[in-house]
Amino acid sequence: MIYIKRVTLLVLIFVLIAGCSNETISTDSNIIIEKGQVKSYEDILTVEEIEEDIDGDEKKEHIKLSISPALKPDPENKNQYLWDDSHVWQLVVEDEGNFYTLPYLMTMYKAELYISNEEENQNTIIFLTKGTTLSFLQYKHNQKGYFEKKVIYNEGPILHRSTIK
C-alpha cells in the first residue's frame, strides 16, 4: 500500500512539474524556458521576492520563489519551517507582463537563491538545493528573449552534510 502511494505521488509530482513551464531541450543540452502561463496553486507560501535586472534592459524584473503546499512552522523552532520532498518549489520571473516559470528541483532541507552579476555570469539566477541530493542550477536570460537552464551539479544521495557555518 505504501509503495502504491509513493508511485502515485511521484507520478503526480512529475505531472505538476511538466505542466508548470514551457520548456524544450536545445541541441546543446541546455533547457530553454520561454514565456508562458504560471500554474497557480491553492495553498502557496512565497518565501522570497526579489527585484533585479536579469535581462540587462535596465528595468528590474520581479523574481518570486514559492512553495506549495504552504509550510508549517516547526513546533520546536518557530523561525524554522517544516517541508519535505512532497512540496512543489516554484521560481517565477515576471518581466513587463511576461512570465517565465523556471524549472526547479525538489529539496528536503534547504534551498538558496542567488543573483550573480560577474563577467560571464552577468544577470544570472543561481539556485542551490541541499537535501537528499545536492543541486546547483543556473538560469541565464538570453538576449533572444528566453531563459536557459544549465545544471552545474546534481548528485545524490548525500550521505553526510556538515553543519559547520
Side-chain angles (χ1 to χ4, degrees):
M1 183 69 170
I2 292 174
Y3 178 74
I4 293 172
K5 286 182 181 179
R6 287 183 181 172
V7 169
T8 304
L9 180 62
L10 286 173
V11 169
L12 179 60
I13 289 171
F14 177 74
V15 169
L16 284 173
I17 291 171
C20 287
S21 68
N22 298 332
E23 63 181 61
T24 57
I25 304 296
S26 67
T27 56
D28 61 356
S29 76
N30 285 345
I31 297 175
I32 295 174
I33 302 111
E34 297 176 334
K35 62 185 172 189
Q37 293 184 331
V38 177
K39 178 161 179 63
S40 59
Y41 294 93
E42 200 170 297
D43 185 19
I44 196 161
L45 172 68
T46 298
V47 293
E48 189 157 13
E49 290 187 80
I50 303 167
E51 297 281 332
E52 192 62 54
D53 180 16
I54 296 299
D55 60 6
D57 66 356
E58 298 183 10
K59 296 178 189 171
K60 292 187 176 186
E61 284 72 47
H62 184 79
I63 304 160
K64 186 164 98 172
L65 178 62
S66 303
I67 302 171
S68 177
L71 304 174
K72 307 293 185 226
D74 185 336
E76 296 176 12
N77 180 358
K78 298 296 181 192
N79 295 325
Q80 179 65 42
Y81 289 100
L82 300 174
W83 67 74
D84 59 32
D85 58 357
S86 65
H87 284 86
V88 176
W89 291 74
Q90 187 178 50
L91 183 58
V92 176
V93 175
E94 179 184 359
D95 179 20
E96 299 180 359
N98 295 318
F99 294 90
Y100 300 85
T101 302
L102 306 181
Y104 47 83
L105 295 176
M106 306 291 179
T107 183
M108 288 185 63
Y109 173 67
K110 188 175 184 179
E112 298 176 18
L113 181 64
Y114 302 91
I115 307 294
S116 175
N117 249 349
E118 296 276 337
E119 299 168 12
E120 71 274 353
N121 288 325
Q122 190 76 19
N123 304 322
T124 301
I125 298 172
I126 311 278
F127 194 55
L128 175 67
T129 64
K130 302 174 185 175
T132 56
T133 62
L134 180 62
S135 300
F136 193 50
L137 310 173
Q138 173 183 305
Y139 302 97
K140 189 169 186 168
H141 188 270
N142 184 302
Q143 295 303 327
K144 296 178 183 175
Y146 56 83
F147 280 87
E148 292 181 12
K149 173 188 170 185
K150 184 176 181 183
V151 178
I152 305 297
Y153 185 82
N154 185 25
E155 284 296 324
I158 300 300
L159 300 177
H160 175 77
R161 182 186 61 81
S162 175
T163 57
I164 298 170
K165 295 183 181 188

